[in-house]
Amino acid sequence: MKNYREYRFAVIRGKTSFYVRSVGHFRLTPESPEEVKVADFGEIFWCIGGKGYFHRDGEISTLLPNSVWYYPPGSLHKYYPGKPFFHYRWLTLEGPGTGGLFEGLRIQPGVNETGECPQELFSRIELNIESPRNDKRMEVLAAAFEILTRVALPPAAGKSAGTTAEKAKRIIDANFTDRELNIDRIAELLGVHRVSLSRAFSRFYGYSASEYLASCRIRNALALLKEDRLPAEEIANQCGFSSPGYFSRVISKTTGFPPGKLRRRNPGAF
């Protein structure tokens, strides 16, 4: 099985008493263990598939799907993949208030029984953690806090975090303004094939994920054209279009007029 490591770090740190330091999505085999280290940050590991073995206080525990391991700040991090693999998402928080946050939520060091991994929340953090914008950093912190509350208050047995289509829609709703978001990226974040995602979305909603992503961007763009006088280039950027030229072509195809002419033709509405 092919190993998989994807991770991202915050570009701005230390603005609050605790903040999201990094996030990752790993799938490892026993031949590729992680390094042993003492870390000054808190870290959770949410098992998606396979199993992992974790050391703490001289004991070894097994982490299985739908459960979370927590290492408090200052802990020795020593863990390794079980056979045939260990598939998990991880999240680290740092800052002087980190330990108190976990204690306040009553998240215990070691294994915490939870439920299905909320991958769309981890995906939201991945999409925004490298942004220097304050609103994006707050989105990251909000998603991380929701993840932690799900660890602290796990869902009832058997409760699902949603279908693949519903998870994809939540990713689009939260991140359609990101110009790098596309169907390939969404499929990658959810750990499914693009074709499987497209079929699932179309069956569930009656239209494709690509159509929905485009409609979110177009709807937002038309609202901005109507409500303020931002330049078309800035609107294109804020709505997630890859370029001003592409934005103009899409608006022209949708309305019959390019952005500038649309405003001049409808001064009262646009």
Side-chain angles (χ1 to χ4, degrees), residues 5 21 56 76 116 165 267:
R5 283 185 173 92
R21 174 183 178 273
R56 183 172 179 270
L76 174 69
E116 182 180 353

Side-chain angles (χ1 to χ4, degrees), residues 67-78:
S67 57
V68 168
W69 180 273
Y70 166 51
Y71 272 132
S75 297
L76 174 69
H77 288 219
K78 184 178 181 182

Side-chain angles (χ1 to χ4, degrees), residues 165-231:
E166 291 173 307
K167 294 174 185 177
K169 184 178 182 295
R170 286 197 291 268
I171 291 175
I172 292 172
D173 288 340
N175 301 285
F176 68 84
T177 57
D178 185 339
R179 67 173 59 188
E180 295 185 3
L181 185 70
N182 55 35
I183 304 309
D184 286 332
R185 178 64 175 147
I186 296 169
E188 178 184 347
L189 291 170
L190 293 177
V192 299
H193 193 277
R194 175 194 171 100
V195 174
S196 298
L197 170 61
S198 297
R199 289 174 177 169
F201 201 98
S202 295
R203 283 197 303 267
F204 196 90
Y205 291 108
Y207 44 82
S208 72
S210 296
E211 289 172 334
Y212 183 67
L213 176 58
S215 71
C216 288
R217 288 170 170 162
I218 292 169
R219 183 172 62 250
N220 195 39
L222 292 176
L224 290 177
L225 284 168
K226 176 181 178 181
E227 295 174 2
D228 59 46
R229 306 304 298 178
L230 283 175

